[in-house]
Structures are given as C-alpha cells and as structure tokens.
C-alpha cells in the first residue's frame, strides 16, 4: 500500500515555488492549514496566486503571507474579513478575483474531476458575470465558470493514517476535500497520524491516493483567530433585531431546511427549539445547526457561516462546501433568510457591495439567493441617514434578480404577490404613515387584521 512521506512543516513549505498557484483549505481559520502557511511565510517564496475562500485573518494563516508581500494575486469569495487584504486590493499591491463561494467550491471540484468547467445560475445578471459566456439552459440564465486547479494544495484534516487517508472533524471539511483533488502536489496538515486500519474505511473522507505528503501539527486556540471562542462574536442583539428574527421564525414550517445568512438572520437560530423540527443549514458544511454554546470555540464546536461556534442538534450531519452548495443550487433548501442593503419593486436583491468600498466580499449570497426555494430578506428599513432601503430600482450591485419573496424590516413586512410589492404587516412601534414616508418604492397595502 502506498504510504505518503511524513515530513516537517518546513520541508513541506519548500515544495511551493515562487510564481505558483497555491490552494489553501479552510473556512476562515476553521480547517485552515495555518502551520504550513506560517512555515511558508518564513521562506522568500513570492508572487503566489492564493486560492482560498478568504486570505486568513490579520497576521494569521494567509494573512501572514499577505503581510510579507508574498502574494501577487488572490482568488476567493470573501476578502473583507481581513482588513489588510482590503487595503492591499485598494492600493494595488494585491490583484483580486472575486468568485461566489459555491461557484469557487464547484470550480475546484471540477478541476479535481478533470472537467473543463460548468454553467451555473449563480451571479447571472450581476457585475461578477460581466464578460462571461452566458446562456439560457432549462429556462434559466447561466454563466460559464472554468475549472480551477493549483500547483500545490495545503489542506488541514483531523486525522490521517499512514496510507494518507484523511478524516475531517465537524465543519472542517469545507474547501479541504475539493482542494485535495485539484492540485499537482497535495500536503495535508493533520492533528494526528495513526496506523493503517485505525480509520475505518467508511470514515475516510479523502482517500489517500490524493495525498502526497503528511505533516503532523497540533492546533491551538491562537491558530483559530476570531473563531477561538464564541465570546469573540460581534453579533449585535437589540430588540429591533430580535423582532425581525421573531417575525422571520413565524415563516418557517416543521421539517423545512433553512439557511441563515450572517447578521440579523443568525439570531433566528437562537429562537429555534427542537420541537419546531426546523433543519438549519450552513453553507460551510452542516445540517442541523443548534444555538450558540455558552462558551468554547472551534476547538470544541462546529462553526456557522459567520464563523461563529454553534452546537449540533440530534441528527445533524457534516459535509464539504461543494456538497453544501449543490444542496442549495439543487433546490433542496426550502428557505434562505438573508440580510439586505437594498430590495427593489421587482424583487431584485443587493446585499454584498457597500457604497464606497471595493467589491471584495460576496461569500455565498449569490448562490443562496438564486438557489433557495424561498427567500426572506431581513434588514433595517432605512440607512442611518434615513435613506430608504426598499427602492423602485436597486442602485447598488445586484446579488440576484427577481428572487425576493418577503422583506422583514424593523418597521414593516412586505411580500411579493403576483409580482407586486405588497405591505402585509407592521412591526411593533411602527405606523402605516411612518412606513409610507420611509419606503422608496410604491406598494399595495394589504394589512392583515
């Protein structure tokens, strides 16, 4: 049986040459091969193309390579989690290619499967799809995405056996499984290495034929950055936000599969009880998400899409990001609850590009908005200066076209009935006159008694 060599992190880092494309697993710092990246940061290797969901955190993981000036280009879905990556993109020292999160995962899976590319509805009609091959397939507009491959992949797993078989822990599969298939040289950083047979065949997530080298490295809370402890979460909880979460919860039915975006939607998770039989899905690879724990971090718990530690309900399951977005695009997610920056009278959603800031953080929003069976948007009714966020026509870059089914704000509830924006409810403390004055789009009034 083939046995990949066990080498040190410093030996592993030397397999990456200047000018190469490096695939890096992880979602935030969860499942991130931080020790391999830090060893690479000690070398003079430069001009790298860095392919990952994001560029680590400030000074950690890929963030250390960025700070050293070793990255020439970054390909990923969410760079705004690292302020130094944003600054590098703005000053031109880092070239950035933004890809929706699910599209990134599928492009890596295609690269590993020897497929040249694929068509997806995600990002159709948005600025990200400009200058791409676009076709209408099965009645839907879709854009072509070429497959992604790398010269070297750094991935992180929980355990490996001497044959190179890998087993991941909790939500640490994320991008690691696809990346393990899509590079010429694959180096797996693992918590422990066991003898052949100690990982049962049915528990192997990545077969050893993909793995060229193994590195043993012990994870510490410091390696996890903001996910090290649930207390590090910056979630804002106030009565208005909770009211929106409570109203959104009323739209969920037993046995439905629901995806919660970051921000206000994450508050819904804390309101769900097991008796409600609602299956929460998170795009980084989990079904059966429970509320946040009272303490602890990603060393002890899975994390959600906001990189916040969460609990797992009985019957929960874990999978990788490619499978997660296949569930979304395949119509297996019943409801998505997302935040918004603007929604217009045609049901178009804009929720990823902040005015005056670079376009650097789409995440999974485009995949979710176009793939979920029903979309509920939760957001404040106006910007802090009083500018309406419900408008006749979106002025911000679109996330998806004509996808919104319901809007829940701190002042009102709107539904799209027969394609018409319709006011169906008022939130606590709000009046009809207030909603009329603060809404920037015409609407039908059909308040329930």
């Amino acid at each position: 049986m083939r046995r990949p060599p066990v080498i040190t992190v410093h030996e592993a880092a030397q397999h990456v040459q200047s000018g190469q494309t490096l695939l890096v697993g992880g979602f935030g710092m969860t499942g991130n091969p931080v020790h391999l990246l830090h060893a690479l940061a000690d070398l003079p290797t430069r001009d790298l193309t860095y392919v990952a969901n994001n560029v680590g955190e400030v000074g950690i993981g890929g963030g250390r390579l960025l700070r050293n000036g070793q990255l020439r280009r970054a390909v990923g879905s969410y760079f705004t989690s690292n302020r130094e990556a944003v600054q590098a993109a703005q000053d031109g020292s880092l070239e950035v290619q933004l890809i929706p999160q699910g599209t990134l995962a599928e492009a890596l899976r295609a690269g590993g499967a020897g497929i040249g590319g694929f068509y997806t509805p995600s990002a159709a009609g948005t600025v990200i799809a400009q200058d791409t091959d676009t076709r209408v397939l099965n009645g839907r507009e879709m854009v072509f995405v070429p497959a992604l491959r790398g010269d070297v992949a750094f991935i992180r797993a929980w355990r490996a056996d001497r044959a190179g078989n890998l087993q991941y822990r909790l939500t640490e599969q994320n991008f690691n499984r696809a990346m393990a298939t899509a590079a010429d040289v694959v180096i797996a950083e693992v918590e422990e290495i066991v003898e052949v047979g100690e990982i049962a065949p049915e528990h192997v997530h990545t077969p050893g034929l993909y793995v060229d080298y193994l590195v043993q490295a012990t994870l510490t809370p410091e390696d996890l950055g903001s996910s090290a402890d649930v207390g590090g979460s910056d979630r804002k909880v106030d009565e208005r936000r909770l009211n929106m979460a409570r109203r959104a919860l009323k739209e969920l039915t037993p046995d439905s599969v629901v995806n919660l975006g970051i921000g206000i939607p994450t508050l819904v998770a804390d309101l769900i009880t097991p008796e409600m039989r609602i299956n929460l899905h998170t795009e980084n690879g989990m079904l059966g998400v429970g509320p946040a724990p009272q303490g602890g971090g990603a060393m002890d718990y899975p994390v959600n899409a906001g990189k916040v530690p969460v609990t797992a309900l009985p019957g929960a399951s874990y999978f990788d990001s490619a499978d997660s977005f296949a569930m979304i695009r395949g119509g297996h997610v019943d409801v998505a609850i997302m935040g918004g920056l603007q929604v217009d009278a045609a049901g178009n959603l804009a929720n990823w590009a902040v005015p005056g800031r670079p376009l650097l953080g789409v995440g999974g929003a485009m995949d979710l908005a176009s793939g979920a069976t029903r979309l509920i948007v939760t957001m404040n009714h106006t910007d802090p200066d009083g500018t309406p966020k419900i408008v006749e026509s979106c002025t911000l870059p679109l996330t998806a076209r004509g996808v919104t089914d319901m809007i829940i704000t701190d002042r009102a509830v709107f539904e799209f009935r027969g394609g018409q924006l319709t006011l169906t409810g008022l939130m606590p403390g709000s009046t009809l006159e207030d909603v009329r004055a603060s809404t920037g789009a015409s609407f039908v009034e059909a308040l329930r008694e």
Side-chain angles (χ1 to χ4, degrees):
M1 180 177 288
R2 175 180 175 273
R3 295 188 175 219
V6 179
I7 60 178
T8 68
V9 290
H10 302 291
E11 291 171 329
Q14 293 173 18
H15 283 275
V16 183
Q17 304 301 312
S18 293
Q20 288 190 323
T21 295
L22 177 65
L23 309 184
V24 179
F27 182 79
M29 298 308 298
T30 303
N32 189 284
V34 61
H35 299 91
L36 290 173
L37 294 169
H38 288 179
L40 182 58
D42 291 333
L43 299 178
T45 314
R46 304 184 64 83
D47 295 324
L48 296 173
T49 294
Y50 186 95
V51 181
N53 183 57
N54 55 289
V55 188
E57 294 187 9
V58 174
I60 307 176
R64 189 167 296 184
L65 298 175
L66 174 69
R67 181 174 286 179
N68 288 351
Q70 292 171 273
L71 305 184
R72 176 182 61 83
R73 183 168 178 259
V75 180
S77 77
Y78 199 78
F79 300 112
T80 53
S81 55
N82 184 338
R83 65 177 181 274
E84 292 184 355
V86 174
Q87 181 59 45
Q90 288 178 314
D91 65 26
S93 61
L94 180 68
E95 179 186 341
V96 168
Q97 180 184 353
L98 190 63
I99 303 178
Q101 190 179 134
T103 302
L104 175 64
E106 195 65 23
L108 290 162
R109 180 155 67 177
I115 297 171
F118 56 94
Y119 286 91
T120 175
S122 302
T126 73
V127 294
I128 288 181
Q130 288 179 345
D131 302 321
T132 61
D133 179 14
T134 302
R135 301 187 183 185
V136 176
L137 301 173
N138 299 320
R140 298 190 70 183
E141 184 178 352
M142 299 194 181
V143 298
F144 181 77
V145 179
L148 270 174
R149 284 191 61 87
D151 297 297
V152 180
F154 281 176
I155 64 172
R156 171 87 191 181
W158 174 42
R159 294 203 302 170
D161 65 18
R162 296 285 177 177
N165 295 312
L166 303 182
Q167 183 180 15
Y168 302 97
R169 176 182 172 275
L170 305 177
T171 47
E172 293 176 359
Q173 295 184 46
N174 49 63
F175 285 90
N176 284 301
R177 277 182 55 191
M179 287 182 171
T181 71
D184 298 332
V185 176
V186 176
I187 304 174
E189 171 188 312
V190 299
E191 191 73 16
E192 63 174 331
I193 301 173
V194 301
E195 294 303 319
V196 173
E198 290 191 45
I199 301 177
E202 62 269 25
H203 295 158
V204 172
H205 296 123
T206 294
L209 69 86
Y210 291 112
V211 180
D212 296 293
Y213 298 96
L214 294 173
V215 170
Q216 191 278 324
T218 302
L219 201 66
T220 67
E222 289 72 26
D223 299 324
L224 295 171
S226 62
S227 297
D229 190 274
V230 69
S233 167
D234 61 355
R235 291 198 309 166
K236 299 177 182 178
V237 181
D238 59 42
E239 195 61 22
R240 285 192 170 193
R241 293 166 69 89
L242 280 173
N243 282 338
M244 285 185 268
R246 294 182 185 114
R247 181 62 186 82
L249 180 62
K250 292 181 179 180
E251 295 300 314
L252 307 184
T253 57
D255 301 323
S256 58
V257 176
V258 180
N259 184 287
L260 303 177
I262 60 175
I264 296 169
T266 60
L267 301 178
V268 177
D270 294 336
L271 304 175
I272 294 173
T273 63
E275 296 75 21
M276 295 177 183
R277 303 201 322 270
I278 294 170
N279 301 304
L280 289 184
H281 170 278
T282 181
E283 59 258 39
N284 56 303
M286 182 179 179
L287 184 63
V289 180
Q294 294 301 308
M299 294 282 284
D300 313 292
Y301 297 99
V303 301
N304 64 14
K307 305 175 183 66
V308 176
V310 294
T311 54
L313 297 179
S317 59
Y318 302 109
F319 31 88
D320 77 336
S321 293
D323 282 347
S324 185
F325 280 96
M327 296 175 187
I328 294 165
R329 285 190 305 272
H332 305 291
V333 173
D334 300 304
V335 181
I337 304 176
M338 306 176 67
L341 295 174
Q342 286 182 339
V343 178
D344 69 21
N348 299 321
L349 169 66
N351 78 339
W352 66 281
V354 179
R357 298 184 185 178
L359 308 181
L360 294 174
V362 66
M366 289 184 177
D367 306 278
L368 279 163
S370 63
T373 303
R374 186 172 185 231
L375 178 63
I376 299 173
V377 177
T378 58
M379 63 182 185
N380 289 327
H381 204 87
T382 67
D383 287 325
D385 64 1
T387 301
K389 298 176 72 170
I390 301 175
V391 294
E392 281 295 337
S393 181
C394 288
T395 57
L396 299 177
L398 292 183
T399 302
R401 296 180 301 186
V403 293
T404 308
D405 296 290
M406 173 178 279
I407 310 167
I408 300 173
T409 76
D410 53 337
R411 302 183 187 185
V413 178
F414 292 88
E415 299 177 46
F416 285 86
R417 296 181 174 180
Q420 175 67 55
L421 180 66
T422 305
L423 175 67
T424 59
L426 298 175
M427 295 295 282
S430 183
T431 66
L432 179 57
E433 291 72 21
D434 179 34
V435 172
R436 288 171 176 165
S438 58
T439 303
S442 57
F443 57 87
V444 173
E445 296 176 11
L447 291 173
R448 298 168 181 168
E449 295 297 332

